[in-house]
Amino acid sequence: MTTQELVEKCAEGDAQAFDFLVERYQSKIINIAYGMLQDKEDAYDVAQEVFIKLYRKIGSFTGAASLDTWIHRVTVNASLDALRKRGRRVQTVPLAVEGEDAQTVELPIADDSAAPEKVVLQNERRRMLLDAIERLSPKYRSVLVLREFEDLDYEQIASALDISVGTVKSRLNRAREKLRNLLEK
Amino acid sequence: MECREARAYLTEYIDGFLLEKERAQLEAHLQACAACKKEVEALRALRGELRALKIEDTSDFVFDIEKAKTPAVLPLYRQRWVRALSVTAACFVLFIGVLAVTQNGYQTPQNSEVQILGSEAADEEDAMTARETNGESEMTNGPRARTAEVPYAETELAVPDTYTYYSSQTPEAVQEYAGKENQKSASVTAEDASTAEPGAGAGAQVESEATVPTAPMMDKTDDAFAPSSQAPASGGASANPASGGSASGIIPAPTYTKRTVTLSVSPEAQERFSYILSGMPVTRANGEILIGASDLNWLLRVDGVQIVSDQTVECNSETYLNKVVLIY
């Protein structure tokens, strides 16, 4: 069933169709939020929020493209809201000293044994990358996440963030540069 | 193509969006320039790593459709008309208050004088409180007022509310606080206030009440990260009878006490802590990290222990610290 058909069925009140829609988009939404927030639980909370909004607005989408753009935009905005709440109210930073224990922490890393060409990250490197992304300002982070996590092209990123393609290019360039500098430190 | 021009194209090149003409020029440059070629390889490696960060399995996500079916209702305090009404009511009360004071012919002293007197009075009271309760009760002022604005249900951690905080005080401290509150509430009228301070004239009392500045104004004139000369526990000078005498007619304004916590971090843990503290109101001096801001009221807890006043916390890589919590 195409996304358009699913949307139409959802608009008619078909709950099962919405389940399919959730299944289709959950990975995309969770990963954008995860890239923005670097925390799986927070990303799941954002996904809940986005799906609630989607459920309430499902009748207003004219096509799959407009739905995709809306989802990218709403997910980034919900993540930015979560970041703001984090900064304004309670800022918590795990302070566990890295040592032997840190190596044994189970992190949700994909089993890549069947895909040897994919990059397998050690826990420590994974943490370093997430920390570095976290230190990027939201405007750079959102462009980078939409490009690297969701493989959106520049036009799609520009639509989602309501900025020009030129701005996307320059922010992406800058984000990668900053990230490299942070990782080299 | 020069290196500088080449670098500008690298992002589009590794993304595969570079137009044919530029791509040919760039590739020709890469053949000749080892540095730019290395840069391309590094960027590609970074891309691969970033893509590997994705959460591959999200099958444990469950959408709670019931939440979506419940219409969103804003809490009363967030509804616009309630806010508008509150502001209007507050303005009205303020207007009536100003009218009442001015019509009774009370004069307004110079702001600077009142700030000094108010500050001394606040210090004196806090110093007395601190001496009697081992310096803990001074937290009862600022953060209490500020954190009340934050709905705790929305915070990530179980933040103890102010009552929980009081419950951890000694009975003497609670009594002391209760006495202080009574004194403050008693000072609302001139008659009551003069009863609370028998040595002071009722006229002076009323004059002061009308013009005591709010504490944030006082705080903003301070150096945010200076070692806390206003620290209640060290405020011996403020107990000076002379200054106390001049301020005896002043009702202490609610004061947001400035706090500065110094994390003394061992060299091997410096980098980690510097990162942890990024985003907090922090400054660094002589290898120490000072946290604090005069216009924020915040609590700092390390290992669940609340830092209640100016103090130094020793931190090194052996220290087990699970969280630093900054609440403001």
Side-chain angles (χ1 to χ4, degrees):
Chain A
M1 196 179 289
T2 65
T3 303
Q4 181 59 39
E5 286 167 340
L6 277 177
V7 169
E8 283 166 11
K9 281 189 173 297
C10 291
E12 291 163 10
D14 186 336
Q16 199 184 7
F18 197 81
D19 285 343
F20 284 131
L21 208 58
V22 169
E23 207 173 300
R24 189 165 292 182
Y25 279 98
Q26 70 183 40
S27 175
K28 179 190 284 283
I29 294 172
I30 287 169
N31 272 301
I32 293 172
Y34 180 63
M36 294 295 292
L37 298 165
Q38 295 79 45
D39 183 276
K40 190 178 173 184
E41 279 185 29
D42 287 351
Y44 276 37
D45 288 345
V46 165
Q48 285 286 352
E49 199 180 314
V50 172
F51 282 124
I52 287 173
K53 285 182 180 168
L54 178 60
Y55 185 85
R56 290 176 181 157
K57 280 188 71 93
I58 195 71
S60 62
F61 295 104
T62 51
S66 74
L67 176 64
D68 279 4
T69 303
W70 183 88
I71 281 181
H72 296 142
R73 181 176 299 175
V74 170
T75 305
V76 170
N77 287 341
S79 303
L80 292 174
D81 281 347
L83 274 177
R84 276 193 284 268
K85 279 184 192 170
R86 207 188 257 180
R88 191 171 65 235
R89 299 214 167 100
V90 177
Q91 189 169 359
T92 70
V93 185
L95 267 185
V97 176
E98 281 181 16
E100 291 301 312
D101 287 348
Q103 300 301 319
T104 59
V105 171
E106 201 171 311
L107 287 171
I109 294 179
D111 177 8
D112 288 298
S113 53
E117 73 280 6
K118 290 180 78 174
V119 177
V120 182
L121 293 172
Q122 297 300 318
N123 286 352
E124 195 180 351
R125 181 66 178 170
R126 184 182 180 83
R127 192 65 251 166
M128 277 176 71
L129 285 162
L130 289 172
D131 285 351
I133 295 173
E134 194 175 7
R135 296 178 76 169
L136 292 178
S137 69
K139 70 178 182 183
Y140 294 126
R141 203 186 304 181
S142 46
V143 171
L144 187 79
V145 166
L146 290 176
R147 174 71 200 133
E148 305 296 19
F149 281 47
E150 283 312 306
D151 207 18
L152 300 192
D153 62 33
Y154 297 164
E155 294 276 354
Q156 288 171 312
I157 298 171
S159 298
L161 300 180
D162 212 10
I163 53 179
S164 71
V165 170
T167 307
V168 171
K169 285 183 198 171
S170 66
R171 284 189 186 173
L172 192 56
N173 196 24
R174 192 89 183 98
R176 285 171 173 159
E177 194 181 308
K178 278 174 175 279
L179 206 56
R180 284 199 58 208
N181 288 337
L182 286 167
L183 290 166
E184 279 170 8
K185 276 182 185 172
Chain B
M1 185 180 276
E2 297 291 319
C3 282
R4 193 172 169 180
E5 194 182 352
R7 297 286 166 114
Y9 285 129
L10 291 188
T11 280
E12 285 171 88
Y13 179 65
I14 66 158
D15 285 332
F17 298 143
L18 198 58
L19 298 174
E20 183 58 39
K21 186 182 165 195
E22 284 86 8
R23 190 162 65 91
Q25 287 175 345
L26 179 63
E27 283 177 345
H29 174 78
L30 294 177
Q31 291 294 326
C33 178
C36 286
K37 195 173 179 182
K38 197 177 168 189
E39 186 71 16
V40 168
E41 284 163 7
L43 283 170
R44 281 193 170 135
L46 180 63
R47 279 203 79 193
E49 287 190 314
L50 289 173
R51 288 173 178 227
L53 284 175
K54 282 180 69 170
I55 302 173
E56 296 290 340
D57 182 12
T58 59
S59 58
D60 56 338
F61 174 78
V62 180
F63 174 56
D64 182 1
I65 201 165
E66 293 307 315
K67 279 188 184 171
K69 286 177 179 171
T70 312
V73 179
L74 277 175
L76 198 61
Y77 70 91
R78 289 187 63 186
Q79 292 188 14
R80 276 188 187 177
W81 68 270
V82 175
R83 287 185 174 192
L85 200 64
S86 310
V87 172
T88 312
C91 290
F92 181 71
V93 169
L94 192 67
F95 174 72
I96 294 295
V98 169
L99 205 65
V101 169
T102 51
Q103 286 200 347
N104 281 324
Y106 296 126
Q107 288 183 340
T108 304
Q110 293 298 312
N111 279 344
S112 57
E113 184 191 354
V114 174
Q115 280 185 9
I116 293 164
L117 295 178
S119 170
E120 284 171 355
D123 279 355
E124 180 186 331
E125 182 181 62
D126 280 345
M128 288 169 66
T129 308
R131 278 197 299 277
E132 289 181 33
T133 61
N134 295 325
E136 291 184 352
S137 284
E138 38 91 20
M139 286 294 284
T140 59
N141 284 328
R144 181 169 172 268
R146 184 62 60 94
T147 53
E149 294 170 7
V150 181
Y152 288 119
E154 290 182 41
T155 59
E156 290 178 12
L157 293 177
V159 179
D161 65 28
T162 48
Y163 295 101
T164 309
Y165 180 73
Y166 287 128
S167 71
S168 67
Q169 302 289 321
T170 61
E172 292 77 16
V174 174
Q175 279 181 1
E176 174 66 28
Y177 173 72
K180 211 160 80 172
E181 284 293 292
N182 287 340
Q183 189 177 338
K184 280 179 184 172
S185 59
S187 68
V188 173
T189 64
E191 291 79 10
D192 289 347
S194 60
T195 309
E197 292 285 339
Q205 182 69 53
V206 175
E207 178 177 300
S208 307
E209 279 171 27
T211 56
V212 168
T214 56
M217 283 172 61
M218 288 188 284
D219 275 6
K220 279 174 184 170
T221 62
D222 294 337
D223 174 10
F225 301 114
S228 182
S229 58
Q230 286 190 348
S234 61
S238 62
N240 180 349
S243 63
S246 65
S248 62
I250 306 291
I251 299 305
T255 173
Y256 299 125
T257 307
K258 182 174 66 184
R259 289 172 190 85
T260 304
V261 172
T262 304
L263 294 188
S264 174
V265 180
S266 67
E268 64 270 22
Q270 279 281 357
E271 189 181 345
R272 182 168 186 77
F273 276 75
S274 297
Y275 165 59
I276 286 157
L277 297 168
S278 64
M280 293 187 184
V282 169
T283 188
R284 294 171 180 79
N286 303 324
E288 291 180 332
I289 301 170
L290 302 176
I291 312 172
S294 61
D295 57 346
L296 294 175
N297 284 286
W298 48 270
L299 312 174
L300 181 75
R301 285 184 291 167
V302 175
D303 266 353
V305 177
Q306 204 153 307
I307 311 300
V308 293
S309 64
D310 304 63
Q311 68 182 84
T312 298
V313 183
E314 298 288 338
C315 305
N316 58 48
S317 55
E318 300 300 314
T319 314
Y320 177 73
L321 298 174
N322 52 4
K323 283 180 192 294
V324 164
V325 182
L326 185 69
I327 305 164
Y328 56 87

